[in-house]
Amino acid sequence: MSQVISFRASGHFLNWLESQRMEEESLSQCCQRILRVMSTGGALDTSTDLSTPNIPSVVSTSLSTQLSTLVSDKLQSALSDIDSRFTLMEKRLGKLRA
């Protein structure tokens, strides 16, 4: 049995998916490969033929590390934006005092 599955991806998750693509591979094929590898306990390593199920089982560690990095990057970006807004507000308050 076969069924089409679709979902939306954006932001860091989409960028991560794009970075996992192999040459000449569509994004859909990439997602299929990632799911296939994860279901067999394999590692997400684009330098290895991932169609074989005998890949070392480091998906959870690898995926956890990658997700942690994505969350950290997103948090750093948000904090940077907040810092910029505070700096702008301080400048405006300084002008009001003058």
Side-chain angles (χ1 to χ4, degrees), residues 9 47 77:
S47 66
S77 176

Side-chain angles (χ1 to χ4, degrees), residues 22-50:
M22 296 170 72
E23 258 184 66
E24 311 261 338
E25 183 179 52
S26 72
L27 192 54
S28 179
Q29 290 169 325
C30 173
C31 292
Q32 289 175 350
R33 177 176 50 79
I34 290 170
L35 288 171
R36 186 173 44 253
V37 168
M38 291 178 68
S39 71
T40 60
L44 295 176
D45 179 5
T46 55
S47 66
T48 308
D49 178 12
L50 298 177

Side-chain angles (χ1 to χ4, degrees), residues 41-64:
L44 295 176
D45 179 5
T46 55
S47 66
T48 308
D49 178 12
L50 298 177
S51 61
T52 59
N54 297 330
I55 300 168
S57 179
V58 294
V59 168
S60 60
T61 302
S62 176
L63 189 55
S64 174

Side-chain angles (χ1 to χ4, degrees), residues 7-18 31 63 67 70:
F7 60 93
R8 290 195 181 277
S10 62
H12 291 293
F13 182 59
L14 180 59
N15 293 338
W16 179 80
L17 287 172
E18 289 283 353
C31 292
L63 189 55
L67 288 176
L70 289 175

